[in-house]
């Protein structure tokens, strides 16, 4: 039962007393291997037996080739057997018969030739190779065999003759290299030079030109090397340029310490080759400048490298305005004004495809940087003015505009002492496409020039254009107050608070209240608070009102202070009347929130009230407020469906007392009704 579940368990896992190594196992396997079968040795008593044996074997071979004439192995074994019997004529006959059947079999030709060479039948071998290369002129093995045999026999003219026949077929590079090596072995450098010239005509690849240049470097002169490189560049042209050729040329010049020549080669090549094909060339140029160049040369290399990178980037994404800006900054760093203008003009030609402002935001900065560059770097004022004009003409102002362009144009005219032109520019902007930023900047300009009448006019147009802009009303009023026209400032505030819609009304009311307080018009300020409370019951309004009352003297107090000759800025103690007014404000607010059931606002108000009493009141006043402070309780309320949620609620003591009184009244009513029913 246990044996069916798997292999038997090994109970004794201790090592065996006699250990057997892997080497011993292999040795025993070899020793026990049975010897292979060997063919019996045939002995012949006389020539008759030998001829009988040969005839029998020939009949077997003939039967083999008769059955399968196209099988090469049958013919080669037949010919090899005849060669063993020293029957050279019969072996040739077998090879010739095989060639009639398989005339394009290269292996057959090579074995036939090898058999003739082995038996020193050189003329037969030469004739065979001549026939072979005539029939199969595109097979390099036959040609290599032919030239090897001729050179082995020290027949150098014959070898050249064979090579010339071979070269007429325009073979691969290996054949030309073998021919050149032959001439180099025998010191015929002029012949090798002529072969290289023919070689580069047949195979004009850059690597072959480099091989020729290295040959001339080893065996010729520097002028010949330069001539070879020059011929290569002229022959290849712009379409077939290769960075390896220029790298080799520059390295050759560097070896000769002709650094200016090498630098010129690198620059000439980099100007004509695309970045995708010259990455290694850029790297070698950088290394060259770091090794042999000066600081300016290294900067030029880095500059040209980055220039090529930017060209590729903008070629892929012509609407990438950030890349254009970086490219222009690069050229500005280089200091070539013609290149700077060219880059900016190319960039400005890439107009956004749609008339949506989000597509124009980065494009506009090209115009800005171009104008600033012309003004500050090139000192060309007329060109900068033309750039601003062209930019403003290009922007579709009916759909959107850019206030920064108008402002930069005006600031440019001011720097040129053309104040009238600056005002015309801003006026044109306000008439064509008014914006808050344009009004604000134009007013700031006129304020610096102390043209207050113009400022008033601009403020009037601003509030007419955008009556909901709180900042415009506040600044208008501050201007009039600064000019000591309080009535006009108050009228502006009144117009502002009467507007049906404002973006930040709280700022306007605060500014109006501060204005009245600073002017000492406390009754007006108090009336303003009352008007504001009619519009909103916010906690901050009530709190500010209370603080205003506690810090503001009444009319009688102000009159007494004037009689006593007290200065307005002198610090005075807070009167009980002011505290009472402030408490009255807090009590009014508490009553309003209590009636409307605004618990959150009520809690915030009590906190502010308690802080007020802690500062200005007595302990009894603080305790009175604390008694009104609520307690926090957790309650549950039902949501949509059967779900409940917990929330924090506030329970006020005053509410508990009123509820208790109401419940006591109800109990008395029930008791009275019960007594009436009993009677």
């Amino acid at each position: 039962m246990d044996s069916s579940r798997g292999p038997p368990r090994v109970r004794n896992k201790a090592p065996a007393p006699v250990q057997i190594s892997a080497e011993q196992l292999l040795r025993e396997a070899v020793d026990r291997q049975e010897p292979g079968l060997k063919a019996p040795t045939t002995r012949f008593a006389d020539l008759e037996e030998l001829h009988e044996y040969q005839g029998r074997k020939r009949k077997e071979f003939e039967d083999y080739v008769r059955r399968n004439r196209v099988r090469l192995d049958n013919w080669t074994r037949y010919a090899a057997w005849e060669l063993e019997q020293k029957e050279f004529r019969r072996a040739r006959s077998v090879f010739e018969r095989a060639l009639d059947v398989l005339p394009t079999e290269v292996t057959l030709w090579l074995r036939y030739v090898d058999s003739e060479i082995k038996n020193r039948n050189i003329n037969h071998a030469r004739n065979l190779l001549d026939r072979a290369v005539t029939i199969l002129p595109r097979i390099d093995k036959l040609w290599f065999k032919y030239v090897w045999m001729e050179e082995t026999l020290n027949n150098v003219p014959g070898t050249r003759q064979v090579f010339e026949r071979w070269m007429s077929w325009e073979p691969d590079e290996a054949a030309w290299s073998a021919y050149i090596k032959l001439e180099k072995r025998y010191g015929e450098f002029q012949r090798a030079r002529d072969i290289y010239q023919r070689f580069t005509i047949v195979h004009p690849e850059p690597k072959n030109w480099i091989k020729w240049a290295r040959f001339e470097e080893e065996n010729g002169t520097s002028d010949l090397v330069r001539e070879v490189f020059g011929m290569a560049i002229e022959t290849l042209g712009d379409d077939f340029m290769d960075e390896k050729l220029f790298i080799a040329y520059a390295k050759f010049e560097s070896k000769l310490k002709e650094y200016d020549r090498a630098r010129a080669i690198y620059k000439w090549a980099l100007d004509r080759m695309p970045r995708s094909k010259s990455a290694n060339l850029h790297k070698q140029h950088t290394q060259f400048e770091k090794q042999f160049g000066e600081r300016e040369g290294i900067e030029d290399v880095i500059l040209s490298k980055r220039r090529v990178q930017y060209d590729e980037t903008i070629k892929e994404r012509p609407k990438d305005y950030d890349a254009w800006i970086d490219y222009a900054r690069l050229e500005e760093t280089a200091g070539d004004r013609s290149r700077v203008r060219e880059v900016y003009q190319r960039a400005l030609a890439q107009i956004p495809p749609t008339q949506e402002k989000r597509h124009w935001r980065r494009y506009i900065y090209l115009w800005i940087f171009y104008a600033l560059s012309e003004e500050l770097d090139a000192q060309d004022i007329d060109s900068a003015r033309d750039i601003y004009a062209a930019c403003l003409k290009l922007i579709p102002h009916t759909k959107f505009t850019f206030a920064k362009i108008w402002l930069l144009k005006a600031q440019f005219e001011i720097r040129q002492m053309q104040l009238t032109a600056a005002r015309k520019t801003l006026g044109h902007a306000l008439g064509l496409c008014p914006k808050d930023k344009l009004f604000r900047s134009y007013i700031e300009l006129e304020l610096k020039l102390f043209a207050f009448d113009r400022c008033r006019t601009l403020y009037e147009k601003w509030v007419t254009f955008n009556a909901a802009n709180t900042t415009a009303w506040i600044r208008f009023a501050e201007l009039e107050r600064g000019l000591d026209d309080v009535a006009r400032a108050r009228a502006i505030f009144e117009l502002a608070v009467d507007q049906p819609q404002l973006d930040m009304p709280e700022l306007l009311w605060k500014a109006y209240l501060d204005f009245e307080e600073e002017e000492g018009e406390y009754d007006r300020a108090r009336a303003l608070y009352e008007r504001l409370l009619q519009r909103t019951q916010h906690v901050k309004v009530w709190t500010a009102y209370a603080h205003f009352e506690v810090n503001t003297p009444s009319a009688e107090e102000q009159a007494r202070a004037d009689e006593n000759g007290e200065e307005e800025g002198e610090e005075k103690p807070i009167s009980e009347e002011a505290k009472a007014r402030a408490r009255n404000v807090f009590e009014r607010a508490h009553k309003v929130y209590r009636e409307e059931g605004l618990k959150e606002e009520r809690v915030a108000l009590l906190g502010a009230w308690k802080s007020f009493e802690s500062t200005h009141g007595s302990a009894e006043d603080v305790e009175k407020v604390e008694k009104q402070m609520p307690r926090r309780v957790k309650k549950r309320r039902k949501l949509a469906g059967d779900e409940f949620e917990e929330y924090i609620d506030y329970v006020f003591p005053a509410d508990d007392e009123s509820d208790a009184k109401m419940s006591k009244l109800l109990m008395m009513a029930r008791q009275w009704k019960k007594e009436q029913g009993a009677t």
Side-chain angles (χ1 to χ4, degrees):
M1 192 70 176
D2 295 339
S3 62
S4 63
R5 293 182 180 177
R9 296 175 60 187
V10 179
R11 298 182 182 277
N12 186 8
K13 296 184 179 180
V18 179
Q19 297 292 318
I20 301 175
S21 62
E23 182 181 359
Q24 186 176 356
L25 291 174
L26 293 174
R27 190 182 299 113
E28 289 179 359
V30 173
D31 293 342
R32 294 178 183 179
Q33 188 175 7
E34 296 181 357
L37 298 176
K38 294 183 179 180
T41 303
T42 306
R43 297 183 181 277
F44 305 104
D46 51 15
L47 289 175
E48 186 177 354
E49 290 183 6
L50 176 60
H51 293 159
E52 181 183 358
Y53 166 76
Q54 291 176 343
R56 187 170 65 252
K57 291 293 290 183
R58 287 190 180 101
K59 186 176 182 303
E60 292 177 3
F61 284 121
E62 290 292 340
D63 291 338
Y64 287 144
V65 298
R66 193 183 307 114
R67 292 192 197 112
N68 192 353
R69 291 168 55 85
V70 296
R71 185 176 180 184
L72 179 62
D73 190 47
N74 293 335
W75 295 104
T76 54
R77 283 192 288 113
Y78 191 3
W81 184 81
E82 292 290 358
L83 289 172
E84 289 177 0
Q85 304 300 318
K86 305 298 181 181
E87 294 286 347
F88 300 119
R89 297 179 64 183
R90 286 181 178 274
R92 289 193 189 100
S93 177
V94 173
F95 275 121
E96 292 294 339
R97 289 167 60 195
L99 288 174
D100 291 339
V101 178
L102 302 169
T104 59
E105 189 65 45
V106 179
T107 306
L108 181 60
W109 284 101
L110 292 176
R111 290 188 179 180
Y112 192 2
V113 172
D114 288 338
S115 66
E116 296 292 353
I117 294 174
K118 186 176 180 181
N119 293 291
R120 299 187 178 182
N121 296 321
I122 303 303
N123 289 329
H124 281 284
R126 187 178 283 118
N127 293 334
L128 276 175
L129 288 169
D130 188 80
R131 287 169 55 195
V133 298
T134 303
I135 296 172
L136 301 171
R138 293 296 181 185
I139 305 301
D140 292 343
K141 285 185 178 181
L142 298 174
W143 289 104
F144 277 119
K145 194 74 173 181
Y146 200 174
V147 297
W148 170 81
M149 185 191 72
E150 294 293 350
E151 189 176 2
T152 304
L153 297 173
N154 292 325
N155 186 11
V156 179
T159 307
R160 286 197 185 97
Q161 187 177 1
V162 174
F163 267 119
E164 288 297 331
R165 287 179 58 190
W166 192 5
M167 297 304 108
S168 64
W169 290 95
E170 297 182 356
D172 293 336
E173 298 172 4
W176 292 93
S177 298
Y179 194 6
I180 292 168
K181 288 178 181 178
L182 171 73
E183 300 296 352
K184 288 172 67 177
R185 282 196 296 271
Y186 293 98
E188 297 289 343
F189 298 117
Q190 185 57 41
R191 288 179 178 271
R193 193 172 288 112
D194 296 338
I195 296 168
Y196 265 120
Q197 189 172 3
R198 293 160 56 194
F199 177 30
T200 52
I201 294 174
V202 177
H203 297 285
E205 288 80 8
K207 61 180 181 179
N208 298 329
W209 289 99
I210 294 173
K211 289 179 182 178
W212 188 5
R214 287 175 180 169
F215 166 79
E216 295 293 353
E217 187 177 354
E218 295 174 359
N219 306 295
T221 62
S222 58
D223 293 335
L224 289 175
V225 177
R226 292 190 182 101
E227 185 179 352
V228 170
F229 278 119
M231 291 170 57
I233 295 171
E234 184 179 357
T235 304
L236 293 175
D238 295 339
D239 297 333
F240 300 98
M241 278 186 183
D242 193 348
E243 60 180 355
K244 294 180 181 178
L245 182 67
F246 295 103
I247 291 172
Y249 194 2
K251 285 184 177 180
F252 166 74
E253 296 293 352
S254 299
K255 288 180 184 178
L256 299 179
K257 297 184 179 181
E258 294 286 348
Y259 303 126
D260 293 336
R261 285 177 176 268
R263 187 174 291 107
I265 292 167
Y266 277 123
K267 290 183 178 180
W268 190 89
L270 290 172
D271 291 341
R272 285 162 177 78
M273 293 189 67
R275 174 67 180 177
S276 58
K277 296 182 180 180
S278 59
N280 195 24
L281 184 62
H282 278 278
K283 184 178 179 181
Q284 294 294 331
H285 187 201
T286 305
Q287 292 179 355
F288 169 80
E289 290 294 345
K290 288 181 179 179
Q291 187 174 2
F292 304 110
E294 298 177 354
R295 180 176 179 179
E296 295 179 358
I298 297 173
E299 290 178 354
D300 290 341
V301 170
I302 297 173
L303 190 66
S304 61
K305 186 176 181 180
R306 292 182 61 190
R307 188 178 290 129
V308 171
Q309 292 176 352
Y310 282 125
D311 283 332
E312 290 184 354
T313 301
I314 61 181
K315 185 177 181 181
E316 294 175 1
R317 300 187 302 274
K319 296 294 189 293
D320 188 354
Y321 301 120
D322 290 330
W324 282 109
I325 291 172
D326 294 339
Y327 194 3
R329 292 281 175 83
L330 176 69
E331 296 298 347
E332 288 176 359
T333 305
D336 190 346
R337 292 307 306 173
S338 61
R339 281 185 173 273
V340 173
R341 290 190 178 98
E342 179 187 357
V343 171
Y344 272 120
Q345 290 170 3
R346 287 168 57 194
L348 296 177
Q350 303 297 328
I351 302 174
T354 61
Q355 290 188 353
E356 296 183 15
K357 190 171 183 177
R358 59 190 180 91
H359 292 150
W360 287 67
R361 292 187 186 276
R362 299 303 298 168
Y363 175 70
I364 287 300
Y365 280 99
L366 287 170
W367 289 94
I368 294 173
F369 293 144
Y370 189 17
L372 292 176
S373 175
E374 289 295 324
E375 179 190 359
L376 303 178
D377 297 338
Q379 301 294 323
D380 192 344
I381 306 304
D382 294 335
S383 177
R385 185 176 285 110
D386 294 340
I387 292 168
Y388 280 120
C391 178
L392 292 173
K393 185 178 180 181
L394 181 65
I395 298 173
H397 299 288
T398 56
K399 295 184 178 181
F400 60 85
T401 189
F402 290 95
K404 62 174 68 67
I405 294 294
W406 294 102
L407 296 176
L408 288 172
K409 174 68 163 53
Q411 292 168 5
F412 164 77
E413 296 294 352
I414 291 173
R415 286 194 295 272
Q416 309 309 318
M417 302 300 177
Q418 299 293 328
L419 181 59
T420 304
R423 283 173 172 163
K424 286 183 178 180
T425 300
L426 293 174
H428 185 202
L430 294 178
L432 186 62
C433 46
K435 291 183 69 175
D436 293 335
K437 186 176 180 181
L438 289 172
F439 279 108
R440 183 168 56 251
S441 301
Y442 195 0
I443 291 170
E444 289 176 357
L445 171 64
E446 296 296 349
L447 280 175
K448 291 177 182 178
L449 298 174
F450 299 100
F452 301 116
D453 292 336
R454 288 180 178 272
C455 292
R456 282 197 180 104
T457 305
L458 289 172
Y459 272 122
E460 290 173 1
K461 291 183 179 180
W462 191 2
V463 296
T464 304
F465 163 69
N466 187 5
N469 192 336
T470 304
T471 306
W473 290 104
I474 294 174
R475 291 190 176 186
F476 193 5
E478 289 176 352
L479 172 68
E480 297 297 345
R481 187 187 176 196
L483 297 175
D484 292 333
D485 196 341
V486 178
R488 193 180 182 94
R490 185 175 290 115
I492 292 170
F493 274 123
E494 287 294 334
L495 286 174
V497 297
D498 291 338
Q499 295 300 318
Q501 185 177 1
L502 292 169
D503 53 1
M504 291 183 291
E506 64 277 4
L507 294 182
L508 179 63
W509 282 95
K510 185 178 185 304
Y512 195 3
L513 289 166
D514 293 342
F515 164 74
E516 294 294 358
E517 288 184 33
E518 291 172 1
E519 292 295 328
E521 299 289 343
Y522 302 117
D523 293 337
R524 289 180 179 273
R526 193 172 288 110
L528 274 178
Y529 273 115
E530 295 295 337
R531 289 170 59 187
L532 181 57
L533 289 173
Q534 292 176 4
R535 299 192 180 191
T536 179
Q537 297 290 334
H538 199 277
V539 178
K540 291 184 178 180
V541 178
W542 286 105
T543 306
Y545 192 8
H547 286 291
F548 164 76
E549 291 292 358
V550 78
N551 293 318
T552 303
S554 62
E556 294 78 6
E557 294 175 351
Q558 187 66 28
R560 287 196 299 270
D562 294 340
E563 291 177 0
N564 297 331
E566 296 178 358
E567 295 182 1
E568 186 176 354
E570 185 179 350
E571 187 175 351
K572 307 169 187 176
I574 298 175
S575 64
E576 294 297 328
E577 184 181 356
K579 296 178 182 178
R581 290 198 304 269
R583 289 192 186 97
N584 185 27
V585 173
F586 279 120
E587 289 173 357
R588 285 176 57 194
H590 186 261
K591 182 179 179 181
V592 170
Y593 289 148
R594 180 179 177 183
E595 291 175 355
E596 295 182 2
L598 302 175
K599 295 184 178 181
E600 298 287 344
E601 289 80 355
R602 191 175 173 185
V603 171
L605 179 70
L606 287 172
W609 193 357
K610 181 181 177 181
S611 177
F612 166 78
E613 295 294 353
S614 300
T615 305
H616 303 290
S618 61
E620 292 80 6
D621 296 329
V622 175
E623 184 179 359
K624 181 181 177 181
V625 176
E626 286 180 348
K627 288 181 179 180
Q628 301 184 53
M629 296 296 288
R631 69 178 187 275
R632 297 177 62 183
V633 295
K634 285 187 177 181
K635 293 186 178 181
R636 298 179 67 193
R637 56 187 170 197
K638 190 175 182 180
L639 300 176
D642 297 333
E643 297 180 357
F644 291 86
E645 72 168 357
E646 289 187 353
Y647 69 98
I648 302 297
D649 195 10
Y650 296 97
V651 178
F652 293 88
D655 296 343
D656 291 344
E657 292 177 3
S658 61
D659 292 343
K661 291 179 181 179
M662 183 62 67
S663 61
K664 185 176 181 181
L665 180 62
L666 289 174
M667 287 176 61
M668 294 174 64
R670 290 194 193 98
Q671 184 68 27
W672 177 81
K673 187 176 182 180
K674 186 177 181 180
E675 291 175 356
Q676 290 293 327
T679 56

